[in-house]
Amino acid sequence: MLINCDLHSHSGYAGGVGQISLDDLEAAMDKKGIDVFGTGDCLHPLWSRFLKDNVVEAEDGLFSKKGNKARFMLQTEVIFTAAVGSGRKSVHTVLLFPSFESVDRTCQLLENIGVKNTIGRPFIKCADNFDVGNKLSKILDIDDKIEAIPAHVMTPQGVYGSNNPIDKMKDFYGSATDRIKAVETGLSADPEILSLIPELDDYALVSNSDAHSAALNRMGREFTTVETTSFSYSNIIDAIRKNKIARTAEFNPTEGRFFLTGHRVGKKGHGDAYCVFSPKYTPKDNKCPICGKKLTVGVLERALQLKDIQGGTREFGELSPSTKDFVNMVPLVEVIAYSAGVTSVVSAKVVALYDKIVGAFGNEVKIWFEKDYVVRKRLESVDATDNVIDNIIKVKNGNFSFSPAGFDGTYGKLVVGKKEDVFEVNVISGKASGQKRVF
Ligand SMILES: [Zn+2]
Ligand SMILES: [Zn+2]
């Protein structure tokens, strides 16, 4: 059987978000077609207490509200920080747990090594990569079913990210590296980009939404479909460890907030000016032509650097032999909002049409994997306009781009029906504060 898993999220305790209710999550999972969802922040005392009071173990290691269909997996993200390379590096890492007992024992361990957990995402301070290896191993020793997955590996807070860059997984995770079997692609990367990095041939690639809410353009925007015999924590983890992954559904990397190199509008000294570059156009000194500070290096550029450093031979577009099927998606509410010419994906008009469309298919996931003529027929049956139908089909066929692509923390802007060459972006635009218009 195929199980759609989205195993990285955050609760209301992660800061910057309101409280998230399980009812809202269940409703969104049903519409999106997600079977198993990571609870987020399960090491946080209040969230873990809430979960214990509100879910029951439905199958081995999977939890649900009593009698309900939606399944939850105990999950958190932790941040390991260590002195590596030329400075300190912080790396986000997803942890999955088979039981509340293993969660409680991990909380105890963290307390014993002086880790406070007030923000949902505990900060595990380490001296160096040797210490990271030790501490991660201690966590994994608690239960051999606990899984550690380096999160969004290419973003600045990921293991390969441009913040104090390192060249190999081992340079950060030390002796625990061999116990890592999968990495998370993150919103700004997909299997095509990660195929540039040779050492990843030995890892399964998983994809998760990293959602901070149950919003329909956030949860399930990325997920992993595993192939297994029945619902259980062990089966899902086993499928991940053995790379028995049927496919990943990927946010389009160019929409991700760190795809290209640049500096966004509003940065100190920028006013409304921004700059964004494909790798070959990045200024040689890596300095921003507007403010003079170091540019935020994008995922594409960083992946090409790692390819050279690790002696990779594959060109962009050539997939690693271990890569599984994957599809690039755009959240359906975004396609509908775009077609209706509105900016808000939660406007009543957008949500009403979304609900009608999803009702006709069963859930959103099915649209992305259904044949075009079936999609067209079903969309016609719910009176979707020609514009909406055409745009959904175009997105399904990859006939869209994000222009400009995401960079320096800003999401890419969707344009349906137009492809943009991500290797040919070279923009310095707008008026910087205290400067004349750049051009
Ligand atoms: Zn993270
Ligand atoms: Zn700048």
Side-chain angles (χ1 to χ4, degrees):
M1 69 189 297
L2 298 176
I3 303 179
N4 295 328
C5 304
D6 178 358
L7 303 179
H8 179 180
S9 82
H10 293 277
S11 74
Y13 294 101
V17 282
Q19 200 48 266
I20 300 166
S21 88
L22 289 181
D23 292 339
D24 289 348
L25 288 175
E26 287 189 336
M29 286 167 73
D30 191 43
K31 287 181 185 180
K32 299 289 288 190
I34 299 299
D35 302 308
V36 182
F37 190 68
T39 58
D41 305 345
C42 70
L43 300 176
H44 190 279
L46 295 177
W47 186 233
S48 140
R49 180 74 262 156
F50 175 85
L51 290 169
K52 282 175 187 165
D53 291 343
N54 287 278
V55 297
V56 292
E57 190 165 13
E59 295 92 13
D60 145 60
L62 294 179
F63 297 83
S64 72
K65 285 186 81 172
K66 208 165 184 180
N68 288 7
K69 188 178 81 172
R71 295 289 183 262
F72 295 97
M73 187 181 284
L74 298 171
Q75 169 265 323
T76 190
E77 185 178 51
V78 295
I79 304 173
F80 287 99
T81 165
V84 291
S86 55
R88 281 202 87 76
K89 187 170 181 70
S90 297
V91 172
H92 291 197
T93 306
V94 171
L95 296 176
L96 304 171
F97 297 89
S99 61
F100 279 111
E101 197 217 336
S102 57
V103 165
D104 290 343
R105 288 177 62 193
T106 304
C107 289
Q108 192 58 55
L109 170 74
L110 293 184
E111 213 177 299
N112 293 347
I113 58 174
V115 175
K116 289 203 179 72
N117 187 2
T118 50
I119 54 159
R121 193 161 26 190
F123 213 70
I124 304 175
K125 209 167 167 193
C126 303
D128 48 24
N129 68 338
F130 184 75
D131 199 17
V132 173
N134 268 343
K135 286 184 173 141
L136 179 52
S137 292
K138 275 190 185 151
I139 293 172
L140 297 175
D141 286 344
I142 287 173
D143 189 315
D144 62 8
K145 289 182 185 166
I146 296 176
E147 192 68 7
I149 301 177
H152 41 77
V153 286
M154 298 304 296
T155 66
Q157 305 297 328
V159 66
Y160 294 130
S162 57
N163 279 359
N164 187 17
I166 56 159
D167 302 334
K168 289 263 194 168
M169 196 90 78
K170 227 181 177 72
D171 295 346
F172 190 80
Y173 287 107
S175 61
T177 309
D178 295 344
R179 301 174 78 172
I180 294 171
K181 302 296 174 202
V183 302
E184 184 186 79
T185 62
L187 300 178
S188 298
D190 65 9
E192 186 176 42
I193 290 165
L194 296 183
S195 286
L196 289 166
I197 303 170
E199 76 168 341
L200 289 183
D201 288 6
D202 299 332
Y203 294 84
L205 302 181
V206 298
S207 212
N208 300 307
S209 69
D210 198 353
H212 287 240
S213 78
L216 295 167
N217 60 334
R218 297 285 185 253
M219 86 111 59
R221 59 189 163 175
E222 298 211 289
F223 63 88
T224 304
T225 306
V226 298
E227 194 166 2
T228 183
T229 48
S230 63
F231 269 85
S232 84
Y233 177 92
S234 306
N235 282 351
I236 293 170
I237 295 303
D238 195 54
I240 291 173
R241 287 181 181 171
K242 294 184 176 148
N243 202 4
K244 281 195 275 177
I245 284 165
R247 64 180 182 229
T248 56
E250 307 281 338
F251 201 61
N252 190 280
T254 61
E255 183 176 6
R257 295 184 299 146
F258 295 97
F259 187 70
L260 292 179
T261 298
H263 266 178
R264 66 177 180 272
V265 167
K267 224 161 170 110
K268 203 172 169 204
H270 270 244
D272 70 356
Y274 69 94
C275 56
V276 50
F277 305 105
S278 296
K280 72 174 175 192
Y281 295 114
T282 301
K284 289 286 163 281
D285 60 0
N286 204 27
K287 298 260 171 68
C288 170
I290 298 164
C291 73
K293 299 254 168 56
K294 246 168 67 181
L295 289 163
T296 305
V297 176
V299 165
L300 184 59
E301 185 159 343
R302 183 75 190 118
L304 289 166
Q305 286 170 1
L306 284 163
K307 174 195 161 192
D308 290 343
I309 292 166
Q310 294 187 11
T313 52
R314 282 188 292 268
E315 294 301 326
F316 182 77
E318 231 177 295
L319 296 176
S320 138
S322 55
T323 298
K324 304 296 179 180
D325 276 354
F326 69 99
V327 59
N328 285 133
M329 305 182 303
V330 177
L332 183 60
V333 280
E334 288 183 14
V335 183
I336 297 172
Y338 173 86
S339 306
V342 296
T343 45
S344 168
V345 297
V346 291
S347 80
K349 196 173 153 191
V350 171
V351 173
L353 183 55
Y354 177 88
D355 284 345
K356 264 202 327 195
I357 292 175
V358 163
F361 284 87
N363 61 49
E364 182 179 333
V365 167
K366 290 187 179 156
I367 298 174
W368 303 114
F369 297 100
E370 193 56 270
K371 297 216 168 16
D372 284 359
Y373 75 91
V374 178
V375 170
R376 184 173 287 282
K377 231 166 82 188
R378 293 226 181 115
L379 289 171
E380 281 166 359
S381 77
V382 293
D383 296 327
T385 62
D386 288 348
N387 192 23
V388 168
I389 296 173
D390 287 348
N391 283 337
I392 290 174
I393 303 274
K394 279 179 187 157
V395 168
K396 261 178 86 12
N397 289 293
N399 185 9
F400 67 97
S401 58
F402 287 86
S403 182
F407 66 98
D408 193 28
T410 50
Y411 285 108
K413 204 165 170 296
L414 177 64
V415 186
V416 177
K418 179 183 155 237
K419 298 279 273 180
E420 183 175 78
D421 187 344
V422 293
F423 287 92
E424 289 298 335
V425 178
N426 183 14
V427 178
I428 308 167
S429 169
K431 198 195 285 178
S433 41
Q435 273 190 355
K436 289 207 181 77
R437 186 162 284 277
V438 183
F439 68 72

